[in-house]
Amino acid sequence: MAGTTKQVEIFNDIIKEFQEKHPNVVIIDESQGDESAFNNKLKTDLASGTLPNIFRIQGVANLSDYIENGLLMDMEPALKEDPDWGEGFTEGALTYYQVPNQEGTYAVPMESGLIGVYYNEELFKKAGINEFPETWNDLLSAIEKLKAIDVTPIALGAQTTYMAGHLHNQIFYKWMGTEAAKKLGTRDLEWSDPEVVQTLEFVKELNDMGAFGRNAAGITDDIVLTDFLQGKAAMMITGPWNIGKFTSEEDTEYTDSIKVAKFPYFEEKPEFKDEDMQVLSPYMVNGKLEGKEKEYTIELVKMLTSAEAAKRFAEESQFLIPRTDIEIEEEKVSEIFLSNIELGATSTGIAVDVFDFDPVPSMQDRTRNSIVSMFISSNAEEAAKEIQSEIDRSN
């Protein structure tokens, strides 16, 4: 964890507590606040054989190579050895890291929560919208009404490519369901299939109608977050990690107006109404560790994800670790944090990024960059062809 947020403060407190307990152990924290910087560092560490003791790899289907090369520790023995800790995680979160065709559990979940649409209710009412749009057509209508009052409907900075990727994920799961992402990974579906192309076309449609304002391709996530906090944009697709800012009077005057909802579903696809994108982040442990170094590393992971830590993260920073053995005192957390938990509990299908199920490691960059290309010049068919070509070249 990096930055100056309360959750980082708690993280650092736990690190300090561990070091006080083990003064002979030196911890080097190389946390990165920027996703691209993190990914580049991880690639360098993998290439140079200097993989950290604790790290994170995005995706699931691409983990087999790491497992077979001994780079990822099977956490199942540690989870079973300490049932007070291991049995407290939600079953779905642990199952997510049970990699197909591999025995074991290859990560410990450290963050969860619905990635939804956070919206400014005051701006919606000003635009004549009394309820958050439940369906895609309602969303298109709301976008036009918000444009009419000179507000950017959706805060999206595509220069930070994950934002465009997260938008497409939301649309993909509402149009095809979370299981379809797995079919892309197993090649039972192709990106050039008409139904998949249609999910890209919906992204293009939003951009072409001005849903993200002008020049979204040249704007970063920091800029659009500020626009949303200042009431210049009405909606933002993001996860619970930003709730602290939405409820901070130092960051925004709209603390009472910002609400959360699920991404609207398609009238033609009611069966996917509750197929949702959720964040699920892990701690992974270097599989090469042995002896006391291995013992200390597992102990630190336990401290960072214990029930005690989870309760503190939730109540002090509104950061959710997927455990079932904590009781959050509602008066200590915000209404919007509780809403996120309640909405997340209604999901019939859960997935993170579509590329998480793809065994080709480059798909994170390929899919996001091709989606962003539609914000500049290409169309949905061209973006789909570009993504599918990356897969075909890897075969």
Side-chain angles (χ1 to χ4, degrees):
M1 288 187 186
T4 57
T5 63
K6 184 64 181 179
Q7 65 202 50
V8 175
E9 182 182 323
I10 297 169
F11 173 84
N12 288 332
D13 284 349
I14 295 172
I15 298 291
K16 183 180 178 183
E17 181 185 346
F18 179 89
Q19 288 186 307
E20 289 173 349
K21 188 176 177 184
H22 301 291
N24 57 319
V25 176
V26 176
I27 295 178
I28 301 173
D29 181 7
E30 298 181 301
S31 298
Q32 304 286 320
D34 176 78
E35 184 181 65
S36 295
F38 174 83
N39 288 337
N40 288 334
K41 184 173 187 343
L42 186 63
K43 287 176 185 175
T44 302
D45 289 344
L46 282 166
S48 62
T50 55
L51 195 63
N53 289 19
I54 302 172
F55 57 95
R56 170 196 174 189
I57 297 169
Q58 176 81 24
V60 177
N62 61 340
L63 295 182
S64 281
D65 286 346
Y66 298 98
I67 295 168
E68 289 164 5
N69 287 313
L71 298 174
L72 274 180
M73 185 181 294
D74 177 8
M75 299 305 295
E76 201 157 295
L79 290 161
K80 288 182 175 177
E81 185 178 81
D82 186 351
D84 287 344
W85 168 67
E87 292 180 2
F89 293 99
T90 61
E91 183 178 351
L94 284 178
T95 302
Y96 192 76
Y97 291 103
Q98 293 170 355
V99 181
N101 303 317
Q102 302 286 347
E103 293 290 330
T105 303
Y106 287 90
V108 174
M110 53 76 76
E111 181 187 14
S112 65
L114 179 77
I115 296 182
V117 185
Y118 290 81
Y119 65 100
N120 188 323
E121 192 175 52
E122 183 175 324
L123 295 181
F124 268 59
K125 288 181 178 177
K126 185 178 177 182
I129 308 164
N130 294 322
E131 294 183 356
F132 185 81
E134 190 174 7
T135 67
W136 175 258
N137 287 331
D138 291 342
L139 174 66
L140 299 184
S141 175
I143 288 170
E144 294 296 352
K145 291 178 180 178
L146 289 162
K147 285 165 56 181
I149 63 168
D150 200 25
V151 165
T152 301
I154 302 175
L156 191 147
Q159 184 177 329
T160 313
T161 59
Y162 80 83
M163 296 199 81
H166 284 189
L167 169 69
H168 175 256
N169 292 332
Q170 300 274 357
I171 290 171
F172 184 94
Y173 297 140
K174 299 298 180 184
W175 185 249
M176 300 189 70
T178 52
E179 289 297 314
K182 298 176 183 175
K183 291 181 180 178
L184 280 174
T186 57
R187 311 307 179 216
D188 293 317
L189 277 175
E190 293 191 349
W191 279 86
S192 53
D193 289 345
E195 286 284 278
V196 183
V197 174
Q198 180 62 62
T199 65
L200 296 167
E201 184 59 45
F202 286 130
V203 175
K204 180 76 171 170
E205 180 180 1
L206 290 179
N207 185 60
D208 289 351
M209 71 183 296
F212 317 119
R214 296 178 180 175
N215 192 31
I219 300 175
T220 66
D221 56 348
D222 286 339
I223 292 174
V224 297
L225 173 60
T226 300
D227 285 350
F228 181 69
L229 294 171
Q230 293 180 348
K232 297 177 182 176
M235 291 178 272
M236 184 170 183
I237 298 168
T238 188
W241 56 82
N242 273 320
I243 287 178
K245 289 189 175 294
F246 300 155
T247 56
S248 166
E249 292 182 354
E250 292 181 2
D251 289 312
T252 179
E253 63 180 280
Y254 296 102
T255 53
D256 293 334
S257 298
I258 297 177
K259 311 292 182 184
V260 60
K262 288 191 177 187
F263 192 85
Y265 70 96
F266 293 91
E267 290 92 335
E268 307 96 309
K269 308 273 190 170
E271 66 271 31
F272 300 134
K273 179 180 178 182
D274 291 310
E275 296 283 293
D276 298 319
M277 182 181 185
Q278 295 204 17
V279 60
L280 191 58
S281 298
Y283 287 126
M284 294 172 175
V285 177
N286 189 330
K288 302 289 188 185
L289 300 182
E290 294 181 345
K292 292 297 285 186
E293 189 174 9
K294 175 180 177 180
E295 182 183 320
Y296 285 139
T297 301
I298 292 174
E299 181 181 344
L300 179 56
V301 170
K302 285 184 181 180
M303 289 176 66
L304 288 166
T305 56
S306 68
E308 181 184 8
K311 184 175 175 61
R312 190 177 172 202
F313 272 117
E315 293 179 352
E316 295 181 29
S317 69
Q318 304 184 86
F319 179 90
L320 190 64
I321 295 176
R323 296 192 66 94
T324 60
D325 55 353
I326 59 170
E327 288 189 15
I328 299 171
E329 295 182 44
E330 295 188 4
E331 64 273 17
K332 292 185 177 179
V333 298
S334 67
E335 181 182 334
I336 197 171
F337 181 66
L338 292 174
S339 295
N340 185 290
I341 294 174
E342 290 169 3
L343 288 170
T346 65
S347 299
T348 55
I350 294 173
V352 188
D353 286 286
V354 171
F355 60 76
D356 269 11
F357 299 104
D358 201 297
V360 178
S362 60
M363 286 300 280
Q364 176 176 347
D365 290 338
R366 179 68 282 144
T367 55
R368 288 178 176 177
N369 288 335
S370 295
I371 292 167
V372 170
S373 72
M374 295 190 298
F375 286 68
I376 302 169
S377 59
S378 69
N379 59 41
E381 288 77 11
E382 290 167 338
K385 183 178 179 181
E386 192 173 46
I387 298 170
Q388 187 59 44
S389 295
E390 183 87 3
I391 295 170
D392 295 342
R393 280 195 297 271
S394 71
N395 293 331

